[in-house]
Amino acid sequence: AQTVTQSQPEMSVQEAETVTLSCTYDTSENNYYLFWYKQPPSRQMILVIRQEAYKQQNATENRFSVNFQKAAKSFSLKISDSQLGDTAMYFCAFMKPDNAGNMLTFGGGTRLMVKP
Amino acid sequence: GAVVSQHPSRVICKSGTSVKIECRSLDFQATTMFWYRQFPKQSLMLMATSNEGSKATYEQGVEKDKFLINHASLTLSTLTVTSAHPEDSSFYICSAREPARYGYTFGSGTRLTVV
């Protein structure tokens, strides 16, 4: 079974600064997908960024980028120019395409506080 | 983009009664939906995978007779918490896999309080 570990339960960053959230995972699979989801106080889950394991290029979405290290099984999220609206829980997730529904496995989450 | 509507957003029920939560995909057909439970300040715990037209697959430790899941159409899955007890109080979230790509859209969640 796959496991996803987020080693930072809580983090804080000053507005406009850069912060990196860590995520490691354990799998024997070669083909899989990784995701970062944001859950603000409204508790709506929002997709931040997605990475296909077969792609070597790191995914980017505006101020959000990942550092995907496949050999090290690491998938960190970098948030540049942090904004107050980035305050949320962030979940790293793993998905292995299979015939069992392609379910997501979530990490424990990192609570990020952006300070003015 | 794909939208999943979840209702109700909040519900308070008496102990011993049943509560139904609905999850609808509004602009796409969802052959597979997922139901999660989330405790305060914790991650999402997968309860079951719901497949249209077939029985749901429950995760280990989840009582299938207590958490009834029905996925009768390509746009609707329901979770019924039967004979609810205070320990069932939690935040329940549904998710649907988007067609043609490996992406997931989440409902806005239901906060269930059993008194």
Side-chain angles (χ1 to χ4, degrees), chain A residues 39 44 50 95 101-102 107, chain B residues 34 38 43 102 104 106 111:
Chain A
Q39 188 181 41
Q44 173 72 57
R50 185 180 77 159
M95 191 277 284
N102 306 307
Chain B
F34 306 89
Q38 187 179 29
S43 188
Y102 288 113
Y104 301 82
F106 287 79
R111 182 180 300 282

Side-chain angles (χ1 to χ4, degrees), chain A residues 48-116:
Chain A
V48 175
I49 204 164
R50 185 180 77 159
Q51 174 82 42
E52 292 91 338
Y54 63 84
K55 289 186 177 180
Q56 292 186 338
Q57 186 173 8
N58 289 324
T60 62
E61 286 289 340
N62 301 313
R63 297 183 295 109
F64 299 88
S65 62
V66 297
N67 183 2
F68 174 47
Q69 301 290 327
K70 190 172 184 179
K73 298 179 183 175
S74 171
F75 183 61
S76 60
L77 174 70
K78 185 172 81 171
I79 306 174
S80 304
D81 185 25
S82 296
Q83 300 176 0
L84 296 179
D86 295 334
T87 292
M89 280 288 290
Y90 287 82
F91 294 101
C92 178
F94 172 101
M95 191 277 284
K96 172 182 73 95
D98 59 21
N99 295 323
N102 306 307
M103 66 181 211
L104 288 170
T105 299
F106 285 95
T110 296
R111 184 174 300 277
L112 177 66
M113 172 81 70
V114 180
K115 299 180 178 179

Side-chain angles (χ1 to χ4, degrees), chain A residues 30-42:
Chain A
N30 190 52
N31 180 32
Y32 50 88
Y33 293 76
L34 296 163
F35 305 82
W36 277 98
Y37 281 92
K38 169 185 177 180
Q39 188 181 41
S42 68

